[in-house]
Amino acid sequence: MKQVIISYTLEKENTSKKFFIYIFLYYLVFLFLNNSFSQTDTVNTKDTLLNKIDTSKQVISDIEDIIYYSAEDSAIFDIDSQIVYLYNKAILEYKDLKLQAGVIIYNRNTNILYSHGIQDSVNKTKYVQTPLMFQGNEKYEGLKLSYNFRTQQGVITKGYKEAEVGYYIGEKIKRVTPEVYFIKDGLYTTAVDKEDPEYYFFSPYIKVIPSDKVIAQSVFLYIEGVPVFWVPFAIFPDRKGRSSGIITPTYGNDSRYGVYLAKLGYYWAINDYFDFAITGSAFTKGRFDLNSRFRYALKYNFSGSIEAGFSKINLGEKKDLDKYSSTEWSISLVHNQIINPTTSLNGNLNFVSGKSYYDNSTNNYDILLRQNAISNLTFSKFWEETPYSLSLNYYRDQNLINGDRYESFPSILFNVSEFYPFRRANLPVLSVGKFYEDISFSYNFNARYDKSKRTITNALGQDSVLSDSRPGAKHYITVNYAPRFSDFNIRTFINYTELWYIKSIEKEFNPVDSSVITKEIDGFKPVRYFNMGVSLNTKLIGIFSPNLFGITGIRHTITPSITYNFTPDFSSNFFGYYGSYTDAQGRIIKYSKFEKEIFGGAPFGENQSIGFNIGNLFEMKVKENDTTENKFQLFNFNASINYNFAADSLKWSDLRTDFRTQIGGLLNIAGGATFNLYKFDPTVNARVNKFLISTDGKLADVTNVNFNISTSFNFEITSKKDTIQKEIDEINYKIPISGTLNYNYSQSKPNPNYTFKSSNISGGINFSISENWRFTFSTSYDILSKKISAPYFSAYRDLKSWELLFDWYPTGQYSGFRLEIRIKAPQLRDIRVTKQTNTRGVY
């Protein structure tokens, strides 16, 4: 056997020779060994056949492109057998195929490539530089690898191959075609540790169709080496994005409904824009659930979903006293669409048979606490560079406790924001124009058709359903005149409201039983009312520069304002918006003829009031360094009070105050108080027209007070670190902690003899004792009743390829826990173990 050995000894860098160099050396040596260039043909022959090429002796190869290869130690060419040997960090490249291994052997006659690793010099049982092959987007690893260039088939011994999520390991991986390969004694897992995975699916025979599906026979799930369950065969999707397939069910036991098989169904990926899923659940004691979901989406245009649920329950026999039957359902629709840059359609519609549907179908705490099913669908349109906008809305509110419903459809809102019709287009912003150029208008139109259904219980405990429908329209026009002044702002305004109704009421007193009879009168009835006024405000600024402790300035801004408002008495007979009747005591009772309509009626009584308001803002500027100053708010305090000239008594309103401050970015403190200037008379159980200052010698009674203090925190608890090297076994730790703490206090005392108080503290904390553990706790404590309300605790543990979640509600109607261990990979989250409780018991 003739061999040519070409070796390289490298000290500083690896030398890689490309294919064309090897070919040149190969033929050069071949010619030398066969003395083909040392002989001279002495016969001068003119036979032209000697110049012809014998095509029958040409080598026909399946190699369609150049093969590049290199090795760090040596390359051996066996000329007789046409075999190339590459040793140590060998690399071979052909088209989209790239192979790295300790040893690569290529046979030119058979076009078969063979590679394996090199035995480790220290650990003889271990191999290094095991084959690693890339072909296109595919990656293959193994102890040994063979590949046929002619058939494009290959076999990997003790091979490893990446999947869309996770990877496969097999005793042998055989690549039959680029579209199909088989795995013998293979396992699939997403665990990080390849040598000792935490869990895996094992099958003796696996067929993989890349970017399509995986078909496995006799599949076992192993957890920590222990078989957990077995199925005779399985088909899994193996493609990017969505793919159709069976939805894996869950198995368990419900204390009320018995053993169940839940969420068995099918998912259908219709195309890139639609998909559909349907699942069913069956319980041994007489319950069946069916759920479906249809989704659609077109990027940058619209998206939405339609979901429906149905639950049929039949517990017990017909003759059982505690037999229970129920048929519940739920439908929800979500749609979001951008029709064009100025037009959109958004909606979230929910229809449900009743609260029992949620009580029976979910353990989600937020859903169980839901009291109402709200539906909202809105079409919005605005016109660019104009003040016009339009909104069409459907609204529905269903009370899940008593079944009452309220609907509003259609609801039309057309708005014209403030505009200056007489202002010149080229008028500079700060310049003063003609007086009429400061007149502005705004307009708002709202039309609605409301329907309601309520259940009313009479004195005998009998229920009756009351249905009602009310259409109405409201026009609201505002005219403002705000001339420009340098030191103060003044604004005069007129607000005009017009209501359109097709119904009104009349009331009569029945002396027989002292009842009031209400009659509805059909017919178009407009209601028109207005108010007008003027407001004046300015701003006063005081600056103090102490130049102490880095404080460069304290600024006090005072914003006083005064407003006069006039509203006529629209309850007078002149306007005709109010009626009256005489009760049994001879008192004349006035009522609004439009009190049942959706926008109400005209205001009652004359109002001619002047309001005073003053705002105080304290700010401080601190010098950080020679070039930087920090500015922040110290304190904010406001007070307001009104005086009504038209009132016959109690002309002064309550004095209302509020404040807000922040301390060092740690504490937020806010509160307010309301003060009444008049004396409370217990004989009439009301305030009388006597000032407290004149009767009791004090300025006012505190009728309401509220106070809130809150903080948030975020810090870490860490072990101490020194610059000196510590012992190896020292424990280092870092525990991040964050949370909130909130305290609320309120007191209401409109009647000095009765006081209503509330005082509670609430908060939450999040912390991690390690990289893998996270904890959350939140609760609220009522200080007056000494009760804890809504405590909640959750824990999360990262288990490498698995994760553990634990939620616990210790008290309350829906107290209980939920423990779940599941695979972290999103595609495998249906593989989980769940233990939870609800009002029915363990589930």
Side-chain angles (χ1 to χ4, degrees), residues 243-463:
S243 60
S244 302
I246 295 174
I247 299 174
T248 307
T250 59
Y251 172 83
N253 190 8
D254 185 281
S255 60
R256 185 179 186 188
Y257 301 122
V259 178
Y260 63 82
L261 188 69
K263 305 298 183 183
L264 171 63
Y266 186 79
Y267 173 77
W268 182 21
I270 303 172
N271 54 39
D272 292 339
Y273 311 106
F274 304 97
D275 65 10
F276 177 75
I278 184 167
T279 60
S281 304
F283 298 74
T284 57
K285 292 186 179 180
R287 174 181 169 185
F288 174 76
D289 296 344
L290 188 65
N291 296 275
S292 64
R293 182 193 66 192
F294 173 75
R295 295 188 303 181
Y296 55 91
L298 181 61
K299 196 173 183 180
Y300 306 122
N301 287 276
F302 60 81
S303 64
S305 65
I306 303 173
E307 296 188 37
F310 174 80
S311 179
K312 180 70 175 179
I313 301 173
N314 281 308
L315 296 179
E317 302 295 334
K318 292 182 179 180
K319 297 180 180 180
D320 293 345
L321 297 177
D322 59 346
K323 175 177 173 55
Y324 175 78
S325 297
S326 174
T327 301
E328 307 290 344
W329 56 268
S330 172
I331 300 175
S332 64
L333 301 93
V334 176
H335 183 82
N336 298 285
Q337 181 176 2
I338 300 176
I339 301 173
N340 58 50
T342 63
T343 311
S344 63
L345 178 64
N346 299 285
N348 191 340
L349 308 179
N350 295 279
F351 307 93
V352 63
S353 56
K355 193 174 188 305
S356 58
Y357 175 81
Y358 295 133
D359 292 338
N360 292 327
S361 63
T362 183
N363 282 342
N364 186 292
Y365 197 71
D366 294 332
I367 296 177
L368 289 171
L369 294 176
R370 189 177 295 172
Q371 304 291 319
N372 297 75
I374 305 296
S375 298
N376 218 322
L377 179 65
T378 304
F379 171 84
S380 301
K381 169 72 177 177
F382 70 91
W383 286 265
E384 291 181 310
E385 299 181 356
T386 71
Y388 309 123
S389 62
L390 174 67
S391 174
L392 307 177
N393 178 259
Y394 166 76
Y395 178 82
R396 184 178 188 270
D397 184 354
Q398 177 185 354
N399 190 303
L400 299 177
I401 305 300
N402 55 28
D404 291 353
R405 290 201 309 266
Y406 166 78
E407 284 184 295
S408 179
F409 179 76
S411 177
I412 304 171
L413 180 62
F414 178 73
N415 186 67
V416 181
S417 59
E418 187 177 30
F419 68 101
Y420 296 83
F422 310 115
R423 180 171 292 181
R424 288 167 289 171
N426 56 354
L427 181 67
V429 177
L430 299 178
S431 63
V432 178
K434 305 295 184 179
F435 79 93
Y436 52 80
E437 292 185 288
D438 293 323
I439 298 175
S440 66
F441 293 83
S442 64
Y443 170 72
N444 180 278
F445 171 76
N446 190 0
R448 293 201 334 243
Y449 181 72
D450 293 356
K451 295 190 296 183
S452 62
K453 189 185 79 169
R454 295 179 297 151
T455 302
I456 300 175
T457 304
N458 59 23
L460 300 177
Q462 299 172 332
D463 292 341

Side-chain angles (χ1 to χ4, degrees), residues 694-746:
S694 61
T695 58
D696 295 12
K698 61 180 180 179
L699 181 62
D701 280 339
V702 180
T703 56
N704 186 69
V705 64
N706 63 85
F707 176 76
N708 172 267
I709 181 171
S710 64
T711 184
S712 61
F713 51 88
N714 191 345
F715 60 91
E716 288 184 349
I717 299 177
T718 61
S719 56
K720 295 182 180 180
K721 296 182 179 179
D722 300 326
T723 55
I724 302 175
Q725 181 67 34
K726 296 186 176 182
E727 296 182 3
I728 297 176
D729 60 350
E730 182 184 0
I731 299 175
N732 295 320
Y733 56 86
K734 182 172 68 173
I735 304 176
I737 300 176
S738 63
T740 60
L741 190 63
N742 188 66
Y743 173 72
N744 280 293
Y745 175 82
S746 65

Side-chain angles (χ1 to χ4, degrees), residues 409-607:
F409 179 76
S411 177
I412 304 171
L413 180 62
F414 178 73
N415 186 67
V416 181
S417 59
E418 187 177 30
F419 68 101
Y420 296 83
F422 310 115
R423 180 171 292 181
R424 288 167 289 171
N426 56 354
L427 181 67
V429 177
L430 299 178
S431 63
V432 178
K434 305 295 184 179
F435 79 93
Y436 52 80
E437 292 185 288
D438 293 323
I439 298 175
S440 66
F441 293 83
S442 64
Y443 170 72
N444 180 278
F445 171 76
N446 190 0
R448 293 201 334 243
Y449 181 72
D450 293 356
K451 295 190 296 183
S452 62
K453 189 185 79 169
R454 295 179 297 151
T455 302
I456 300 175
T457 304
N458 59 23
L460 300 177
Q462 299 172 332
D463 292 341
S464 60
V465 178
L466 178 63
S467 298
D468 192 22
S469 60
R470 299 279 166 177
K474 179 180 180 179
H475 305 264
Y476 184 76
I477 301 174
T478 299
V479 182
N480 291 292
Y481 172 59
R484 306 181 187 187
F485 298 98
S486 58
D487 297 328
F488 59 90
N489 300 315
I490 188 171
R491 182 177 70 92
T492 59
F493 58 88
I494 300 175
N495 299 320
Y496 173 79
T497 303
E498 182 168 327
L499 310 175
W500 292 350
Y501 297 128
I502 61 172
K503 292 181 180 181
S504 60
I505 62 169
E506 287 185 357
K507 293 184 178 182
E508 295 181 358
F509 180 75
N510 186 359
V512 177
D513 56 2
S514 297
S515 63
V516 177
I517 301 173
T518 301
K519 297 180 181 179
E520 287 197 352
I521 308 299
D522 293 330
F524 177 73
K525 298 287 185 180
V527 180
R528 302 178 180 93
Y529 58 91
F530 65 91
N531 72 299
M532 61 179 64
V534 59
S535 64
L536 174 69
N537 65 77
T538 187
K539 184 179 291 186
L540 306 174
I541 299 176
I543 297 176
F544 172 61
S545 302
N547 291 320
L548 295 173
F549 309 108
I551 302 174
T552 59
I554 296 176
R555 171 169 155 166
H556 180 200
T557 303
I558 304 174
T559 311
S561 66
I562 183 171
T563 303
Y564 172 77
N565 198 314
F566 170 71
T567 304
D569 183 9
F570 290 99
S571 65
S572 67
N573 295 331
F574 174 79
F575 295 101
Y577 300 146
Y578 282 77
S580 63
Y581 62 87
T582 303
D583 65 5
Q585 285 76 34
R587 295 173 300 184
I588 298 177
I589 307 298
K590 277 191 172 185
Y591 66 90
S592 173
K593 297 179 180 180
F594 306 96
E595 62 184 26
K596 298 178 68 175
E597 304 307 311
I598 57 179
F599 298 111
F604 180 87
E606 181 183 353
N607 178 49

